[in-house]
Amino acid sequence: MQKLIEKIVTKPGQPGMVGDGFRVFNYIPGADISKRRISPFLLMDFNAAYDFGPSDHIRGVDVHPHKGFETVTIAYQGSVAHNDSAGNSGIINPGDVQWMTAGEGILHKEYHEETFSKKGGPFEMVQLWVNLPKKDKSVKAHYQALTAAGMGKAVLADGAGIVNVIAGNFNGAKGSAETYTPVNLFDIQLNEDGELTTSIDAGHNTALLVVNGSILVNGEIAAEHSFVLFENSGEEIHIKANQKSVILLLSGEPIDEPIVSYGPFVMNTQEEIHQAIEDFNSGKFGVLN
């Protein structure tokens, strides 16, 4: 049985700036989709393709904390460098993904990679926030660097395209990321008239973002930059590309726990939020210049 589509949201409103390096459209929770409705996903910011131009000033987001959830940064065009207070650093190039588990708390900064910044060019990224269940909100902070070369891959029949399996399982191809709750995250790249069919657990909250192109999904047209939210019924998803297209498909088992958030902290109770703020202010998240 096909999954029914609950709603298709076109690109929401005007973009906002995160720091001075990320020009984003907010789909979760900004497109009238609550955090509980799309649990375990808390946030989706989409930096649609935009040329910031060459600059000797390194644009980005300065040091900021996270606690109680995970951030997932997916690079389509341009390169992002990052550092954190656990001593990790790296560069996320096109096709790469950084999956950071903030857990008990971490300081982080991310910015345009220096060579890319000086040269300029198209910049296109997605960042997701993925919630952690209560039992895992205090795990030691860590991250997974998922390279394009090491990504799980499914080559589609008849030259239809390729699926980079970031997390979960796509038709038998397993993703690279380790997750705390069941999550599927697929970077789908379809050629014109390319088609695919896959099944997603009916109990998962499921959605997709048309990063580029235009598609027909379960019989409905989704134009470029549309966000498609599926009902929690049926399992089958069929996608056909009207033109060369890139699609991000996400699904996850809902975390049936209270969500209390304050900026970069996501916990289960207000008391835990107060404790997170106290921990941050007292330096327990470490130091990052």
Side-chain angles (χ1 to χ4, degrees):
M1 177 181 172
Q2 281 194 339
K3 281 188 176 294
L4 298 177
I5 292 174
E6 181 173 319
K7 67 167 76 174
I8 298 178
V9 179
T10 57
K11 186 163 62 177
Q14 295 298 312
M17 293 299 298
V18 179
D20 64 358
F22 300 88
R23 178 182 179 271
V24 303
F25 295 90
N26 177 250
Y27 288 79
I28 302 171
D32 196 28
I33 299 166
S34 72
K35 295 172 184 176
R36 291 199 66 82
R37 172 62 185 88
I38 197 65
S39 173
F41 306 104
L42 298 163
L43 174 143
M44 175 190 277
D45 277 344
F46 174 39
N47 190 131
Y50 182 79
D51 193 332
F52 282 89
S55 175
D56 289 328
H57 162 69
I58 305 299
R59 302 180 178 98
V61 184
D62 208 350
V63 179
H64 56 282
H66 291 297
K67 179 177 172 64
F69 62 98
E70 303 180 286
T71 67
V72 181
T73 304
I74 304 163
Y76 293 98
Q77 298 185 76
S79 298
V80 175
H82 66 92
N83 298 84
D84 67 38
S85 56
N88 300 308
S89 64
I91 298 172
I92 312 165
N93 291 310
D96 297 342
V97 175
Q98 185 216 50
W99 198 298
M100 185 181 78
T101 304
E104 65 182 358
I106 198 167
L107 302 180
H108 187 239
K109 63 179 179 179
E110 48 206 332
Y111 42 94
H112 294 192
E113 186 273 327
E114 185 175 3
T115 301
F116 169 76
S117 182
K118 289 181 176 179
K119 183 180 178 182
F123 189 78
E124 188 175 41
M125 303 272 160
V126 168
Q127 185 167 94
L128 295 167
W129 289 9
V130 182
N131 201 9
L132 288 168
K134 183 178 179 65
K135 67 181 182 65
D136 296 313
K137 283 189 178 291
S138 293
V139 298
K140 187 175 179 60
H142 62 278
Y143 85 103
Q144 303 170 68
L146 310 175
T147 64
M151 200 81 64
K153 295 185 186 297
V155 178
L156 303 174
D158 303 319
I162 190 168
V163 179
N164 296 305
V165 188
I166 300 168
N169 188 305
F170 176 87
N171 296 359
K174 293 184 179 179
S176 308
E178 296 181 1
T179 64
Y180 284 85
T181 58
V183 169
N184 292 307
L185 194 58
F186 307 145
D187 166 34
I188 300 169
Q189 302 185 17
L190 290 178
N191 296 317
E192 186 174 357
D193 295 325
E195 299 184 53
L196 67 78
T197 300
T198 192
S199 293
I200 302 291
D201 191 305
H204 276 210
N205 289 330
T206 306
L208 64 79
L209 172 68
V210 184
V211 176
N212 298 125
S214 171
I215 63 172
L216 193 68
V217 53
N218 286 2
E220 296 194 38
I221 294 174
E224 187 168 75
H225 301 165
S226 292
F227 182 85
V228 179
L229 178 67
F230 295 90
E231 294 184 7
N232 294 93
S233 61
E235 297 182 341
E236 187 176 287
I237 295 175
H238 179 261
I239 300 172
K240 180 177 181 179
N242 299 321
Q243 60 192 92
K244 190 171 183 179
S245 299
V246 176
I247 305 108
L248 181 64
L249 177 62
L250 54 150
S251 84
E253 182 178 276
I255 298 174
D256 188 20
E257 296 174 356
I259 298 172
V260 181
S261 60
Y262 179 79
F265 308 132
V266 182
M267 305 302 291
N268 298 106
T269 68
Q270 197 65 50
E271 291 73 22
E272 289 169 341
I273 291 292
H274 292 154
Q275 185 63 55
I277 295 170
E278 184 176 320
D279 290 347
F280 167 61
N281 288 334
S282 65
K284 290 186 177 179
F285 291 7
V287 176
L288 181 62
N289 295 322

